[in-house]
Structures are given as C-alpha cells and as structure tokens.
Amino acid sequence: MSDSNSIFDKDFVENLIPQKFPFVMVDKLLMFSENEITAGFTVPENNIFVKDGIFQEAGLIEHMAQSVALYTGYEYFLKQEPAPTGYIGAIKTIEILQLPKLGEEIETTVTILHEFMGVTLVDIVVKLNDKEIARSQMKTVLAN
C-alpha cells in the first residue's frame, strides 16, 4: 500500500512518536487520512521483542499502540503543533493469529472510531503479506 503522503524516512517517523530506540515499533507511514492511518514496520534483528527470530506478542501490541501514536503525531505535525504523549487506556479486544518473523514487514491500519476529550477509540488491523494476522480495539488517552 503506497500513497502520495507515504513517509519512508525512519528518522522522521520516529520523531512523530514519543518512543525512542530501542523501543520504536513503527518505521513507515504508508497512508494517512482524517480518520485512518496505515503504519508499517519491518521487524529488525536488534528489536527487543524478537525471540528466536519471532516478533513476540508484546511487541505486536506495542506496534499497534505506536501506530495510534503515529496517527496523533502526524496529525499534530500537519497542524505545526507539538504532539502530546499518549498512553494505552484500555485494550477492549485483541486477537493475534500469527506472529511475524525477523525481516518481515507488517502493515497496520488504525481506524479512528471516536475521539472525545483526549480519549480515542480505535480499531486496529495488522496484516502480513495482505493476510490479517492480528486485530484489536483500544482506547488511548492523551496526557495532560
């Protein structure tokens, strides 16, 4: 999936989220619109959540949350304002069907369902080679 607003510069993408190396789990912004973002991540060898060549569940969940953070960070970048820090407020549902391997690229689409007073409810779908491998519904909360 590529779009005219795709961003493949890892350093630029990292500057849009509050996390820093070695805790960065997004490296591409593939698509952005008013209520949706698609983020990408190629699982690197030096990732703290890789065990025996497999990206672990905790890393996949963190990748989902950082995909939401990337949405917020890019939204604020477009407004030329500093992005606030956010937190996972709740994970309503999560289903992990498959874990990606070292070197594989996942694409995660976050759909904003509702935003109100710093609380955002999102649907998240993670794909590997166009096959859904995980999904979640989360609430994120912006820090005051």
Side-chain angles (χ1 to χ4, degrees), residues 70-86:
L70 184 58
Y71 173 85
T72 302
Y74 192 63
E75 182 179 49
Y76 275 76
F77 169 79
L78 292 175
K79 295 190 286 188
Q80 299 181 344
E81 296 177 17
T85 300

Side-chain angles (χ1 to χ4, degrees), residues 43-138:
V43 181
E45 188 173 2
N46 63 349
N47 187 278
I48 60 174
F49 291 115
V50 171
K51 181 178 178 187
D52 299 324
I54 305 292
F55 191 50
Q56 300 298 298
E57 290 89 346
L60 195 56
I61 294 166
E62 182 60 27
H63 164 74
M64 291 180 191
Q66 287 186 23
S67 296
V68 179
L70 184 58
Y71 173 85
T72 302
Y74 192 63
E75 182 179 49
Y76 275 76
F77 169 79
L78 292 175
K79 295 190 286 188
Q80 299 181 344
E81 296 177 17
T85 300
Y87 304 94
I88 298 173
I91 298 175
K92 185 174 179 183
T93 61
I94 191 159
E95 183 177 13
I96 297 174
L97 305 170
Q98 178 183 339
L99 295 172
K101 297 177 183 145
L102 185 66
E104 291 185 323
E105 182 178 349
I106 52 179
E107 291 186 4
T108 300
T109 300
V110 175
T111 304
I112 309 303
L113 301 175
H114 185 70
E115 279 185 293
F116 183 71
M117 294 183 62
V119 177
T120 304
L121 177 63
V122 297
D123 268 338
I124 304 168
V125 175
V126 183
K127 292 184 176 182
L128 173 66
N129 299 321
D130 291 323
K131 176 186 169 199
E132 185 177 311
I133 63 165
R135 69 172 36 249
S136 180
Q137 192 172 85
M138 291 183 185

